[in-house]
Amino acid sequence: MLSEQTRTIIKATVPVLEKQGTQITKCFYGHMLTEHEELLNIFNRTNQKIGAQPTALATTVLAAAKHIDNLAALLPHVEQIGHKHRALQILPEHYPIVGKYLLIAIKEVLGDVATPEIITAWGEAYQEIADVFISVEAKMYKEAAWPGWKQFEVVGKDKVAEDIYEFTVKPTGDSGVDLAKLPIIPGQYITVNSHPVRQDNKYDALRHYSICSADTTNGLKFAVKLQTSTNNPDGLVSEFLHKDVKVGDVLKLSAPAGDFAVNKDLINQNDIPLVLLSSGVGVTPIVSMLEAQVKENPSRPIVWIQSAYNEPHVAFKNHVDNLLKQAKDAKKVVVLTDSQPRIDDKFLKENVPAHADVYICGSLNFMQSMIDHFQVLEHKNDMIHYEPFGPKMSTVKV
């Protein structure tokens, strides 16, 4: 339990964190990843480069400072981050390393403002926050479908859009994983641990990919969009999976993770419509939700909104059409951004019922714009659920 004096000091740093938080976290990552190069086998270098990860960490630190009197208020954020940590196999022994370099960064960026009292207070606060994360993640590790990384054979590789492949994988015989007993929640993701021999890469590269279907009868399915790149890590893993991986190859996966899921209490009722809104490869977890809803209760009203660059980029088109045919009350809207205006609040007002339960997935920019549009429409916050392809905390306002 933190002392009153420590909590007072932490709260007094909130204005500084609001102004210089991202500068602190960029400094933090710079020092830590330089002096602990082995951590580059875990951290996504693309998110570092575009600033999403430093922004996400800065938001997390600011949220902790604002809620230092009641860290329990952070639990939803802790759990969301915890799923990512468990999927990446971040362990308790990593937390002291993070704490060390966070304090170094605070001292370096703030200079004389970072008095010994402030550094001591943040050291104590960090340990308290780390203990919360470690406790939450310990439960997730215990409940995971399998421990660590397991080998899966690629048994299918199918093109579902101009730039998207759907991979079907099955556990190898010595993995100990039984697909028949594998609990999949529509909306979850798996994590691929690869070591692409591209772009002079020296490190393992870990990436999260959404699961396409909760039905594992023929294997576990996930989709990957090709991110083209030139001498940067943006497309490192997607290029490897699209161009190098073939049927019969073996990939290492960690167990399904994530808290993006349809509200179970609403699946079997028909008064509150389900709205599924996606952009690009963000359709992947959304189509698994559609599949589950239609299977469980095809009578619930459904609004399907899918944004893509053009017709060849509309992923899972035939599969989605077949699923929507099974629904008794379904509306489908496809927005092709090469020839139509992008989705805005006017479009959402016309197509999304005011009392609907909404699920959104897409790029960080798409997610932020959708969140902003729904705020303009004053749609109830607890009826808006989203999963960006990138650190979610970078889209959160605290």
Side-chain angles (χ1 to χ4, degrees):
M1 177 69 71
L2 295 174
S3 69
E4 179 66 30
Q5 181 182 7
T6 295
R7 287 184 281 117
T8 299
I9 293 172
I10 295 300
K11 286 183 284 188
T13 64
V14 165
V16 177
L17 293 175
E18 288 178 326
K19 184 178 181 180
Q20 295 180 278
T22 301
Q23 186 180 350
I24 291 170
T25 53
K26 285 181 178 178
C27 177
F28 154 78
Y29 279 116
H31 285 307
M32 184 179 73
L33 296 178
T34 297
E35 298 183 25
H36 286 270
E37 192 176 359
E38 75 279 4
L39 294 179
L40 287 168
N41 290 306
I42 297 176
F43 285 93
N44 185 322
R45 288 181 289 147
T46 298
N47 289 335
Q48 296 292 328
K49 182 175 181 178
I50 66 176
Q53 192 62 57
T55 299
L57 179 58
T59 303
T60 305
V61 172
L62 176 60
K66 286 186 171 182
H67 294 90
I68 200 67
D69 287 330
N70 179 26
L71 289 177
L74 295 178
L75 195 55
H77 298 312
V78 172
E79 289 178 342
Q80 185 270 328
I81 296 168
H83 281 290
K84 300 275 187 176
H85 285 179
R86 200 280 299 157
L88 295 169
Q89 302 299 297
I90 290 176
L91 302 169
E93 53 262 37
H94 292 124
Y95 279 89
I97 300 173
V98 171
K100 173 185 174 180
Y101 290 96
L102 183 60
L103 296 182
I104 288 173
I106 290 173
K107 189 170 184 179
E108 180 174 320
V109 172
L110 301 188
D112 293 341
V113 174
T115 63
E117 291 78 14
I118 287 177
I119 297 300
T120 298
W122 262 108
E124 294 174 3
Y126 173 78
Q127 188 58 58
E128 188 94 355
I129 296 163
D131 288 344
V132 173
F133 274 92
I134 291 170
S135 175
V136 167
E137 289 161 17
K139 184 173 183 291
M140 291 178 176
Y141 276 104
K142 186 177 180 179
E143 295 175 349
W146 64 81
W149 303 100
K150 296 294 183 180
Q151 292 191 326
F152 283 69
E153 180 185 354
V154 178
V155 297
K157 181 180 179 182
D158 302 293
K159 202 168 190 178
V160 294
E162 180 70 22
D163 54 354
I164 299 173
Y165 270 108
E166 177 186 71
F167 290 82
T168 304
V169 298
K170 288 186 175 180
T172 57
D174 59 353
S175 69
V177 178
D178 184 355
L179 279 185
K181 297 180 180 178
L182 185 61
I184 298 290
I185 300 172
Q188 286 187 312
Y189 53 85
I190 51 85
T191 304
V192 175
N193 183 341
S194 64
H195 194 106
V197 185
R198 285 180 171 273
Q199 306 173 22
D200 297 322
N201 174 59
K202 300 186 296 182
Y203 309 104
D204 292 342
L206 281 54
R207 296 292 187 273
H208 307 302
Y209 295 112
S210 294
I211 298 171
C212 306
S213 173
D215 183 357
T216 58
T217 304
N218 297 314
L220 183 63
K221 298 177 182 290
F222 63 92
V224 180
K225 177 183 177 180
L226 177 63
Q227 304 284 353
T228 55
S229 62
T230 304
N231 299 321
N232 70 66
D234 186 30
L236 181 65
V237 180
S238 69
E239 283 189 346
F240 167 70
L241 291 170
H242 271 242
K243 299 176 181 180
D244 299 341
V245 172
K246 300 176 179 62
V247 171
D249 289 347
V250 173
L251 299 172
K252 291 190 294 184
L253 273 59
S254 66
D259 58 359
F260 186 48
V262 175
N263 186 337
K264 292 185 292 186
D265 295 334
L266 299 180
I267 290 178
N268 288 303
Q269 58 76 51
N270 300 322
D271 295 323
I272 299 175
L274 173 66
V275 173
L276 300 171
L277 170 59
S278 66
S279 173
V281 75
V283 68
T284 307
I286 299 295
V287 75
S288 71
M289 293 178 173
L290 174 62
E291 178 187 90
Q293 178 64 63
V294 170
K295 180 180 179 181
E296 183 73 21
N297 174 22
S299 296
R300 184 182 184 187
I302 298 171
V303 178
W304 176 270
I305 303 173
Q306 185 174 0
S307 175
Y309 175 66
N310 58 20
E311 192 68 32
H313 287 81
V314 179
F316 300 105
K317 182 179 184 301
N318 293 335
H319 183 45
V320 168
D321 286 344
N322 289 332
L323 289 171
L324 291 174
K325 286 178 183 177
Q326 299 172 41
K328 295 180 179 178
D329 182 4
K331 175 183 178 180
K332 178 186 176 184
V333 183
V334 175
V335 177
L336 303 177
T337 58
D338 71 332
S339 58
Q340 297 173 256
R342 293 181 182 272
I343 296 172
D344 57 15
D345 50 301
K346 180 176 181 292
F347 172 94
L348 294 174
K349 185 176 182 179
E350 292 173 351
N351 291 280
V352 176
H355 62 300
D357 199 31
V358 182
Y359 296 80
I360 318 171
C361 189
S363 67
L364 287 171
N365 287 339
F366 176 78
M367 293 306 318
Q368 192 59 67
S369 64
M370 294 303 105
I371 293 167
D372 291 344
H373 293 324
F374 277 112
Q375 286 181 341
V376 169
L377 297 176
E378 298 183 345
H379 203 99
K380 290 179 63 176
N381 288 337
D382 61 353
M383 301 294 273
I384 301 292
H385 319 274
Y386 65 97
E387 179 88 334
F389 286 136
K392 188 172 183 178
M393 285 303 290
S394 66
T395 67
V396 173
K397 295 180 174 64
V398 296

